[in-house]
Every structure is written in structure tokens, then in C-alpha cells.
Amino acid sequence: MPKYTLNIRRFSPETGKPAYFETFDVEMEGHRPVLDAILEARADQDGSIGIRCSCQAAICGSCGVRINGNPALACNTLLRDAVATAEDGVTIDIEPMGNMPVIKDLIVDMDAVHWKKVDRVVPWLVPAGDPPEREYVVPHEAMVDVTQTMACIHCGVCVSDCLSMEADPEFIGPAASAKAYRFVGDPRDSATKDRLVHLANDPSGIYDCTHCFKCVEVCPKGVAPMNQIMRLRRRATGDYKIKDHNNGYRHEKAFVNIIEKWGTLHEAKLLPDSYGEGILGKATPDAQKNLIGSLPTALRGLASGKVTIPKVLHHHKIPDIDKVQDIYKKVEGRPERIELNLYIVGEDADALEEEGASEVTPIAATAPAEEGAS
Amino acid sequence: MTVGIISKIHPVRSHSNAAQGGINAALNPDDSWESHAFDTVKGSDYLGDQNAIEIMCREAPDEILHLEHLGVTFHRNDQGLLGTRAFGGASAARTYYVADITGQAILHVLYEQMLKYSDQIDRYEEWFTVDITTDDDGRCSGAIMRNIRDGSLEVFKAKTVILATGGSGQIYKPTTNALVCTADGQAMAYRAGASLMDMEMIQYHPTTLLGNGLLITEGARGEGAHLYNALGERFMEKDAPNKMELASRDVVSRAEQTEINEGRGFPDGSVHLDVTVVPKKRIHEALREIVMVGRDFAGIDITKEPIPVKPGQHYIMGGVKTDVDGQTDIPGLYAAGEVACVSVHGGNRLGANSLLDTLIFGKRSGVHAAGVAKQRNMPDVPATRLDQVRDEIDERINRAPGTGRRVSEVKAELGAIMDAKVAVYRDEAGLQEALEVVRRLKEEAKTATIDDKGTVFNQDVLGSIELGYMTDIAETIVLGAIERKESRGAQFRTDYPERNDEEWLKHIDIKLVDGEPKIEYSPVTITQWQPQARTY
């Protein structure tokens, strides 16, 4: 029977002592989960090891921890996989999740962080008026689509290592954003625009995400929280044209326009364009203030060489810019936006395509077109 | 009047999450509640009380619509209407579902509603119930709770108390049940003097993953998956030529166990569940959870390979005896869901009837308990009771290590003996052996020692209290199985292989009298369906 060494971070607030690491040796087959090893250590060696756990099947969301520095559920991380990422190839480090205060050993205070954020997104359906006599009639695809976010088990694994939350503890975060999409994507909900206006204008809302992909990578349920944040943004900008105080709308448009024109990112143009479009836009008091406020960023860019004076003055189009523009024409020419939903296609999208199954699911944009398409 | 929800874990961690496949209701115009009720009666092997079954099946369609209106993301058909899937023991496709996370979706939506009405409901999350209290008149007066975060004990006085504590699967090992399913509610009600009913009726689910016992939803067979033995035979042809893999769970589990016992299983002691016959897109859309279970827990791609499965402990049909409003023998104390026994499941529960039972009788209990509470003064719980409980917990924490067995050892032995002797096939000798072991473990549980001396999240001491709950309830399960000298539903006695309606068409009730379990009988309510031979 293979032997594994668990290096568990221990902390008990009652002792007055700082946290420390303690090792436990467990003999167990490599295909068993890390949680089983922790429970065996608790059963045979030290009953005081604190960890929340219940279903042992990745459905209750209790046992989020960091394993060798990566957030994961202990119950669906196998010992042989965990030891493969161990720094010394032998010892599996097990620590509580990050971004949340530790209560004891591997138990963190999710109420203080995660559930407070969930509260911010009005986490219940807001239907319009009285319910119908029978069920709401809604497209099959829409229900499958929101079921991806319904599959969130609130384990906190994405919250644990959210980089934006490390920088801004108030950031709404990946899990609560996915919860928000669960309602925004639900055709039965009547508060879509209010939800989006709020999420877009919240200084720690959807535009606070820095697209690091960490939450997509670590989510044990395929919820892909960052994708949901991007979809919330597309709904806010593309469907509802919400011009938020965070300039998320303008930043995104500036980005899109610059790539369409040059094919690569024109750093020197991105910043001013994000604060106001054209000469008149830049002259508004808000834009002026923001531009002055962003001077340190621009100077840092110059100092680091990311932006250079020649680049500022002469940004060249890439040689085959027409191909880039063809992509724009194709995508913008579609009658409705197509969203890729991994919940439907799984990770083996190519094989599905071979079977002739539809790879993508069009989710009709329901918002009224208040302006012409961008 | 105020309402408090008290849970030893955060509510969204509850075991209702594990109900994958769906929830039954005769909502289609071409279906009828009578058909649903008859299937349930037949599934119960005629031990279910037909008045209760009628209520459940009549109220089911409105409950589905209510959940849909609250936001449950039920699967739709091409017309955008609620769509169904087939399930075991049912004569029509009447199972409504959310992929294979139906329980999770419903639980989370109900939690959303609790957040919505948070100004009217007090939530006590991570509070552990140690004791149900009764007053001098024998009425329920509240409960004593331990705040898991700081170890403090508090009395919650209550005009009415509803137990919604779930099942007892941790008495067995392996089990599909979560670690929290430790018989808390059944044991506390039993100790307080309430009757338990049909405790011998333990459901073994036909498709649990070999090795760790994880649940593979019946929805897989509902979507068309087949069961094969090692000879490549679809062996359900023998026992259920019409319903095949979608016969009642007791029937399928027995068939599998027979294949395994008679040497037609695979060398690892399994039979194979073949999901590859289901179209791949459909698997990803409707059976996503078991794709992940296969990948993460068995290293199998279920879209390409069969899954090794065997019958495994899954559900207890028995529980705290209640009427159709959830009232137990103790005035003011209610029970609903798996903790309770109304009985709608009798000897064998149909798949996708458990969420329904929970919702229908949970709601009825709530309505009745609220009505009673309005007419009642707040009872008093004497402070001496709290002191007693505190002393008892302190005594557990202060037991010197090494003076008794470890809690984990006693629990492991309990799980093993129950799975060996009180499982799919039972006989007198095995059951008597189990009784002897369980009674010894019950005593050993009283002196078992723990390591954690702290107050913050002392899960060790909670584990020791749970062990006491489990050994008490295990004894009642074994006693019921010994008492029932026939084969009905989940109770199959190899020494009494036939159903015997003449002598045993009755419930077995067990209650604690002067500290000893006492067995009584109560009649089965029959309204319109007389017992018949049961074939699928």
C-alpha cells in the first residue's frame, strides 16, 4: 500500500499560538481522494483536525482547501494527482482556502466573504407580476444555459485564489458573479437591466475582473465563473449599452475598435479612448479627470518600455488587417450572438461536432436595441 | 411568531443535493395522480399508507409548478414546456428534472427564497442539535443546541418543532449518504418517546460506484442505460421482462446481488452499467454529474466505457412515525422527509419520490405547526436540562484517551456489520449476530474517547454524539428486520422468501419504554388498491 505524507496547516484560535504545519503519514491507494486521507488521519491519529466535509462526491461544496498551493475540493482530488504536484514529490501540502479568514485548521469563514457577496446580487428570481397558471414557457436552450451556473456548489474554491479579490477585497468575485448570471440568463427574471446596471456601475463589480482565468481553471463543477462575468459584460454593453461609471463600456469598445483598425493593441490610444470617445468625449469633465488620474499609469507604461514614444506616434496596422476585419464582419453579421456553453459540449467539443451535434447554442439577446449595433 | 431554521451544516451543504435524477408528478394532461399513486403503492410492496400516498400524488403537480415559479431551472421540451424523463417503477415518464442536479437546484432555489425572506426567518447555520426537550405534559418544548463555532450551548424554546434532519445512511459502510446523515432526528425523537416505524426497510440503490459507493443516478437507466453481467447478458430480462432496468429498486438490487452471488458478476464483484448507448450530447446535457463522477472518482469516461456498479445503501424508508400533517406521537413535534415515516414509501421507495415526499410533507408540517404555534403559549425549558446536557458533553470531552475505543473504530465496525448482515439478503442467524454486535457497539459508544478538547469547531465531540444517535437507530433497524418474518420490499429474508399479507401486512412500530425498545404493530391504510402479486 502506498504511503502518503500530508502536511496540514493547523490553527486553533483558542491556543493563542500562530498557525503551524503538522505532518501525518497515511497508507492508502493512490486513486483515493485527498479527503479520505485527511479523514483517515483524523480517525486514527488526531481527531482534532478540523475540516468541513459531507458528501464526499463533489456536490455539497464543503471541503474546499488548498492542495500544494492550488485551491480544490479535497474529495475529488486524488492522492496520486496531488502527490504529482508536490514540491518535493512526496509531501502533500494542505492549507485552508485564501481570501477568507481562517476559523480553525482547514475551516474558513465563508459567511464573512463569499455569502456576503452573494447577498449583493439579489440572489433570487424576480419574476414580472404574478406567475402564470402553468409553467413559464421558456426555450430549452435557455434553461440548459443557466443550469451551468445553477451547478455552482458555493465551495469557495474560485474565491480562494481570485487575484482581483486579493487586490480589491470588495470585488464581487467569481462565484457571486456566476450567481448573478444565473438570473440574468434566466428569461423568467424581470430585473435583468437593473441587475446589469448595478453590476456594471459597482466599482467592485464585473469590470473589476482582470481575466486571469484562475476561477475557470479551478472550478470543480465547470461553472467557468469568468466566462459568466464576460457574458454579463456582453449583456451590459452589447445588449443594454450601459455606460457605466467605471468606463467598462468605453474600455471594451475602445479595445474592439482599436483591434479592428490596427490588428494589434495600440496602447497609447487605449487609455484615452476608454475614457471618452472622439474629441468631444474626451473634453467632458469626467473624462478629463479620469485622464489626469491615469497619468501615472501612462508614465509607468513609458518607464517599463511597454509603451514607447515611437509606438505612441506611429502605430502600424498589421499586414493582413483585412483578415481581421473579415472576422469582425462575420461575427457582427450574425443575427444573434452565439455563446459557447461548455456545460452542453463538455470538454470534447470536436468529437461532438463529428457526431453532428450542434457545437454552440445561440442564446437570443432579449434586450431592446437602444442604439445601432457597434 | 418567529421561525428559526437550525442546521448543523450550512443549508446548501445538505444531503438533498444528492438527489440527482428528479422529482415525480403527474402533471402531463395524459397522466393521472391515480396512476402515480398506484405505482407508488406497488413500489412500496403494499406497505405504504394509501391515504398519505394519495395526498402526496394529488399535491405533486402544484408543487412542481410552485418550484418552477420560484426559479428552479427545470428541463424544458422543444415547446419550452416542462419536460420529463423515465424513472424506475413508473408507468409513465413523470420525472421532472434539472440535468442530474435536481436536488441541488431545488435546495439552492429554496435557500434563495430563505435569503429573500431573511427578515422573517432566523437562520442558525452550523448549530448542532443535542436534545429535543419535552415539558411535564409530554409536549415538545424546544431543543438544546450547540453553536459549532464557539461551543456554547443554548436552549431554543419553541411552541412547535419540525425535524427535517434527513436519513441515517452513515450507519452503513459503504453508503451513498453524506457524512452528515447520522440519524440525529430519528434518534432524538426516539429518545424523547416518539415511535419509529418500518425501520427494517433500508433501500439498497442498484447503481452505486464500486469501491466508494458513490451514487450513479437512476436517471442513467431512465435515459436508456443497460445493466450487464460478466457474460454480457442483460440479466434484468429474467426478473423484470417488461420494465427491465427500470423495475423498482429493490427488484433491480436483488437481481444484481444474485448475479454477483452466483458468480456471474465481474471479478471485482460488480455488474456493469453501460451508459454508452445514450447519445453523447444527451449525456453531457442530462447526465453531466455522473460524467464528472466517472472521471474524478473512477477514472472512467462514461461516454466510452461501462461503469462498475453494485447495490449500495441509499435510503431508509422507515423513520419517525407521523400522520399526514407531519405530527409525531409527541404533541408539538413534527417530522418530514427522510427522517419521517408517513408512510408513503412502505417497503420500497420509488426513485424521484423522495424529493416529493420531503416537499409535500415538509410544507404540510409547516402549515400545521404554524397553526398550532399560534394557539400555544411559549413553553418553558428548565435550566437544569441545559446543565445536564452541558455536563454530559463535558464528560465526553474529558474522557481520558485510551479508556475506551476511538469513535472512528466503533463507527467502522457498525458500518461493516450492517452492510454484511442487514443488507439486500437477510436471515435470522445473520440478523441475530448483527443485533449482538450492535448492542455491544451501543455500549462502547458510551465510553468512546475523543482527542479534541477545544470549543471552536470541535467536530470530534459532535462525532461522538452522532455515534450515539447511530447505534440507537441501528438497533431499531435490526430489531425490525428480525421481527418481520417475511419478504416484502427491501426486506428480503432468505429464510422467509415470500410476502405474507395474512400475517405481515402491517407496520412495525418501535418505541423506547423504560429505556428498552418495545415493538408494536399498526395497521396499513388501504383505500383503493388491494394487494396483488408484484411483477415488473
Side-chain angles (χ1 to χ4, degrees):
Chain A
M1 190 84 77
K3 194 174 86 177
Y4 293 92
T5 302
L6 310 180
N7 189 35
I8 300 179
R9 188 181 191 267
R10 306 294 307 269
F11 170 71
S12 172
E14 295 164 83
T15 60
K17 288 187 210 150
Y20 60 99
F21 280 88
E22 189 174 4
T23 58
F24 298 90
D25 289 337
V26 176
E27 284 188 13
M28 198 171 265
E29 294 291 350
H31 65 260
R32 300 270 302 277
V34 170
L35 178 63
D36 286 8
I38 297 171
L39 292 180
E40 186 135 313
R42 178 155 93 176
D44 299 342
Q45 299 174 51
D46 183 352
S48 72
I49 299 171
I51 181 170
R52 287 194 189 100
C53 54
S54 182
C55 73
Q56 302 179 282
I59 188 74
C60 77
S62 301
C63 66
V65 291
R66 272 179 174 157
I67 298 171
N68 298 327
N70 267 313
L73 294 179
C75 74
N76 77 345
T77 305
L78 305 185
L79 283 165
R80 61 175 180 229
D81 298 336
V83 85
T85 63
E87 209 167 294
D88 62 358
V90 180
T91 312
I92 301 168
D93 289 336
I94 302 163
E95 299 168 83
M97 291 191 289
N99 278 332
M100 290 173 275
V102 177
I103 297 175
K104 177 190 174 182
D105 293 344
L106 303 172
I107 299 166
V108 298
D109 191 347
M110 291 195 65
D111 293 345
V113 180
H114 169 70
W115 289 107
K116 264 193 186 159
K117 294 178 189 297
V118 169
D119 269 341
R120 275 161 61 186
V121 305
V122 191
W124 51 82
L125 192 77
V126 181
D130 292 331
E133 205 169 298
R134 295 276 300 193
E135 67 267 42
Y136 289 96
V137 180
V138 291
H140 166 72
E141 292 77 13
M143 281 294 107
V144 176
D145 179 44
V146 290
T147 296
Q148 180 179 20
T149 43
M150 199 74 234
C152 170
I153 55 175
H154 298 271
C155 60
V157 162
C158 62
V159 174
S160 166
D161 283 46
C162 173
L163 281 176
S164 296
M165 208 183 290
E166 251 172 70
D168 172 14
E170 288 303 308
F171 174 42
I172 189 80
S177 299
K179 186 78 176 169
Y181 183 79
R182 177 251 170 283
F183 300 106
V184 166
D186 193 325
R188 298 171 296 182
D189 195 83
S190 67
T192 311
K193 187 173 181 186
D194 287 349
R195 291 178 188 278
L196 290 168
V197 166
H198 181 78
L199 286 164
N201 283 309
D202 183 340
S204 301
I206 49 177
Y207 291 113
D208 213 3
C209 167
T210 55
H211 321 171
C212 75
F213 281 85
K214 188 73 179 176
C215 58
V216 178
E217 182 190 317
V218 299
C219 174
K221 305 305 291 186
V223 172
M226 190 199 82
N227 293 5
Q228 312 307 331
I229 296 174
M230 296 306 121
R231 296 176 72 184
L232 288 167
R233 290 187 187 177
R234 286 195 288 274
R235 295 298 301 269
T237 57
D239 300 344
Y240 285 91
K241 321 289 177 205
I242 295 165
K243 297 193 176 64
D244 55 286
H245 304 313
N246 302 308
N247 289 313
Y249 174 82
R250 288 193 184 85
H251 183 64
E252 194 175 292
K253 283 202 82 162
F255 217 102
V256 169
N257 292 340
I258 286 169
I259 299 294
E260 185 174 16
K261 193 161 175 189
W262 281 285
T264 56
L265 197 55
H266 190 342
E267 299 268 5
K269 247 184 110 31
L270 183 63
L271 210 55
D273 282 4
S274 297
Y275 291 130
E277 279 174 274
I279 298 296
L280 285 176
K282 287 186 189 67
T284 63
D286 255 11
Q288 295 279 339
K289 206 170 74 190
N290 282 325
L291 273 172
I292 291 166
S294 67
L295 271 174
T297 311
L299 292 173
R300 268 199 307 275
L302 278 166
S304 69
K306 189 178 176 190
V307 181
T308 59
I309 297 294
K311 273 197 210 162
V312 171
L313 298 176
H314 307 286
H315 191 80
H316 294 290
K317 288 182 182 175
I318 57 169
D320 35 10
I321 183 69
D322 50 329
K323 286 186 183 149
V324 172
Q325 287 163 357
D326 282 348
I327 296 173
Y328 272 71
K329 272 182 211 141
K330 187 176 173 190
V331 171
E332 286 169 358
R334 284 182 181 145
E336 47 188 32
R337 191 171 62 240
I338 290 175
E339 299 278 4
L340 184 72
N341 186 331
L342 291 173
Y343 201 73
I344 301 170
V345 299
E347 282 130 29
D348 200 7
D350 294 343
L352 277 172
E353 211 168 13
E354 282 166 28
E355 278 185 14
S358 145
E359 165 197 3
V360 286
T361 303
I363 306 299
T366 50
E370 286 165 11
E371 292 180 16
S374 60
Chain B
M1 189 169 72
T2 56
V3 180
I5 303 253
I6 298 143
S7 175
K8 68 176 176 176
I9 48 175
H10 189 285
V12 306
R13 315 284 175 225
S14 302
H15 192 56
S16 298
N17 273 330
Q20 299 172 337
I23 175 168
N24 289 331
L27 183 58
N28 271 336
D30 51 359
D31 198 358
S32 71
W33 71 262
E34 289 92 342
S35 167
H36 181 190
F38 173 70
D39 290 344
T40 304
V41 169
K42 181 180 169 186
S44 81
D45 218 349
Y46 296 89
L47 190 63
D49 286 310
Q50 297 181 8
N51 59 330
I53 292 172
E54 287 187 10
I55 287 172
M56 181 175 80
C57 298
R58 267 197 177 123
E59 294 183 7
D62 280 347
E63 188 59 32
I64 300 286
L65 291 175
H66 178 59
L67 292 171
E68 199 278 322
H69 295 156
L70 293 180
V72 177
T73 55
F74 281 117
H75 168 83
R76 307 291 158 144
N77 62 21
D78 293 342
Q79 289 85 49
L81 303 170
L82 292 174
T84 57
R85 67 160 44 124
F87 237 64
S91 50
R94 64 167 74 91
T95 302
Y96 294 86
Y97 65 98
V98 181
D100 52 359
I101 57 165
T102 314
Q104 184 195 335
I106 293 174
L107 180 67
H108 284 221
V109 166
L110 292 178
Y111 189 69
E112 289 167 4
Q113 294 297 308
M114 210 147 76
L115 294 176
K116 181 177 175 183
Y117 295 105
S118 58
D119 55 334
Q120 295 169 51
I121 305 168
D122 298 323
R123 302 197 308 278
Y124 297 90
E125 295 166 356
E126 303 195 311
W127 286 69
F128 185 96
T129 311
V130 185
D131 194 20
I132 299 286
T133 61
T134 49
D135 63 16
D136 295 340
D137 301 331
R139 290 189 63 99
C140 181
S141 55
I144 295 175
M145 310 283 172
R146 179 179 167 99
N147 182 344
I148 298 175
R149 284 206 177 190
D150 63 12
S152 62
L153 271 184
E154 272 191 50
V155 172
F156 282 58
K157 294 178 203 166
K159 297 172 183 175
T160 50
V161 172
I162 303 174
L163 295 170
T165 53
S168 314
Q170 284 292 318
I171 290 173
Y172 284 74
K173 187 176 171 68
T175 172
T176 63
N177 285 196
L179 293 166
V180 293
C181 302
T182 49
D184 304 17
Q186 291 175 349
M188 283 186 283
Y190 177 58
R191 290 173 185 178
S195 290
L196 305 176
M197 188 165 89
D198 299 342
M199 294 302 286
E200 68 278 16
M201 295 303 180
I202 300 289
Q203 179 165 80
Y204 269 64
H205 192 288
T207 54
T208 68
L209 192 62
L210 187 76
N212 56 18
L214 288 184
L215 177 66
I216 306 294
T217 177
E218 185 168 305
R221 282 170 287 138
E223 298 291 340
H226 298 160
L227 284 168
Y228 291 103
N229 63 19
L231 307 174
E233 297 165 341
R234 274 181 79 185
F235 54 87
M236 286 313 299
E237 280 170 357
K238 285 178 278 188
D239 297 288
N242 299 315
K243 297 298 287 184
M244 296 292 284
E245 283 86 357
L246 288 177
S248 273
R249 288 178 175 174
D250 58 328
V251 175
V252 181
S253 283
R254 267 195 300 278
E256 289 179 5
Q257 197 62 52
T258 302
E259 294 301 304
I260 294 165
N261 291 351
E262 295 179 359
R264 293 184 297 277
F266 288 84
D268 56 8
S270 71
V271 294
H272 279 179
L273 177 70
D274 184 10
V275 187
T276 64
V277 292
V278 182
K280 203 164 180 182
K281 180 169 188 283
R282 184 69 189 153
I283 294 177
H284 281 295
E285 186 180 290
L287 301 170
R288 176 88 174 144
E289 192 62 34
I290 63 164
V291 171
M292 289 198 252
V293 165
R295 184 193 67 198
D296 296 344
F297 296 97
I300 298 174
D301 179 352
I302 69 154
T303 65
K304 297 190 175 117
E305 306 158 77
I307 312 169
V309 295
K310 68 190 268 289
Q313 197 283 342
H314 181 57
Y315 188 86
I316 177 161
M317 275 70 75
V320 183
K321 181 178 185 167
T322 71
D323 69 6
V324 295
D325 291 312
Q327 299 191 86
T328 68
D329 289 353
I330 299 172
L333 181 65
Y334 295 74
E338 192 171 347
V339 64
C341 181
V342 189
S343 159
V344 287
H345 308 305
N348 171 66
R349 175 176 69 75
L350 292 190
N353 264 356
S354 61
L355 285 173
L356 184 61
D357 167 24
T358 296
L359 288 157
I360 298 293
F361 293 103
K363 185 176 178 177
R364 291 179 68 93
S365 299
V367 169
H368 199 280
V372 167
K374 277 180 192 151
Q375 296 158 9
R376 212 190 155 196
N377 295 325
M378 186 59 87
D380 197 31
V381 178
T384 49
R385 190 68 183 267
L386 184 67
D387 295 338
Q388 233 175 353
V389 171
R390 184 178 293 118
D391 290 348
E392 200 264 338
I393 292 177
D394 287 346
E395 188 272 322
R396 284 172 194 272
I397 292 175
N398 294 327
R399 275 174 213 158
T403 55
R405 296 180 78 188
R406 291 183 72 81
V407 167
S408 53
E409 276 175 34
V410 178
K411 189 183 169 199
E413 195 180 346
L414 176 68
I417 190 75
M418 294 298 284
D419 192 54
K421 304 293 178 190
V422 201
V424 174
Y425 289 116
R426 305 164 175 184
D427 62 40
E428 184 73 22
L431 291 171
Q432 289 296 349
E433 185 189 335
L435 184 63
E436 200 184 308
V437 173
V438 167
R439 284 189 163 155
R440 170 170 54 78
L441 296 175
K442 194 174 147 186
E443 291 310 307
E444 288 175 350
K446 289 176 187 162
T447 56
T449 59
I450 60 169
D451 301 327
D452 199 335
K453 308 291 177 202
T455 55
V456 178
F457 262 91
N458 186 335
Q459 297 169 312
D460 216 7
V461 76
L462 303 183
S464 121
I465 297 170
E466 288 171 342
L467 180 65
Y469 293 155
M470 289 191 285
T471 49
D472 277 13
I473 292 307
E475 185 186 20
T476 67
I477 293 169
V478 181
L479 285 172
I482 291 172
E483 185 68 14
R484 186 173 287 282
K485 292 182 174 52
E486 65 155 352
S487 292
R488 180 186 300 273
Q491 157 96 343
F492 194 97
R493 291 281 302 254
T494 52
D495 41 1
Y496 302 96
E498 300 299 324
R499 193 175 86 190
N500 179 351
D501 288 338
E502 211 162 291
E503 286 176 82
W504 288 106
L505 185 58
K506 59 189 176 190
H507 297 294
I508 295 173
D509 299 353
I510 302 181
K511 69 194 290 187
L512 208 54
V513 179
D514 300 328
E516 291 298 321
K518 182 167 174 269
I519 289 181
E520 292 168 355
Y521 304 117
S522 58
V524 173
T525 305
I526 291 177
T527 56
Q528 48 179 310
W529 298 283
Q530 290 302 318
Q532 303 167 13
R534 182 164 168 260
T535 56
Y536 285 98

